[in-house]
Amino acid sequence: MRSIIFHGQTGKFTFRMLATVLGGQSICILLGALVARAIAATDGGDASSTAYLVVGLGLGALCIVAAGLMRRPWGVTLGWVVQALTLLSALVVPMMLVVGLFFLALWVTCLVKGAQVDAEMARRRAAAGEGDPADRVDG
């Protein structure tokens, strides 16, 4: 599994797929924050219900920020942090473990398959003689 990275640049297809995963994950996390708030409010903890909502909204916002930063070398690292925090949110709402595992599986799949697609696209560009437009010297 050489294509699972924790830090570094990914190809165009890969970072688009990873950003899509984080976008979908943000929606689920935001809905999970509402569930956590409702559960805490039902138990009579008004202060904790607000804290759960604020932390959940922060994690949802972090997902969106990480999706936007996927082009950066440390964007993948931030994505891994989001995956870990999503799994940790299961301490508050146990069903978030299912959500966290689902999106972790999507994340790893996109890292592996995205790298394969990027490599194949680069191979086809090289075979067609196109190369990278940034590498060309017009003169």
Side-chain angles (χ1 to χ4, degrees), residues 68-90:
L69 295 173
M70 273 301 117
R71 293 182 187 193
R72 306 271 187 232
W74 43 270
V76 175
T77 306
L78 188 57
W80 279 108
V81 169
V82 168
Q83 300 307 316
L85 291 175
T86 303
L87 289 172
L88 279 175
S89 69

Side-chain angles (χ1 to χ4, degrees), residues 12 121-122 125-126 129-138:
K12 191 174 190 179
M121 288 172 56
R125 273 194 309 269
E130 293 178 8
D132 190 11
D135 293 340
R136 288 191 202 162
V137 177
D138 294 331

Side-chain angles (χ1 to χ4, degrees), residues 14-82:
T14 305
F15 81 71
R16 286 180 177 175
M17 292 300 295
L18 294 175
T20 303
V21 169
L22 288 171
Q25 188 172 356
S26 70
I27 295 169
C28 292
I29 289 173
L30 293 173
L31 292 172
L34 292 174
V35 170
R37 179 184 178 269
I39 290 173
T42 303
D43 292 340
D46 203 25
S48 65
S49 68
T50 304
Y52 288 154
L53 180 64
V54 170
V55 171
L57 292 175
L59 182 56
L62 183 63
C63 280
I64 295 169
V65 168
L69 295 173
M70 273 301 117
R71 293 182 187 193
R72 306 271 187 232
W74 43 270
V76 175
T77 306
L78 188 57
W80 279 108
V81 169
V82 168

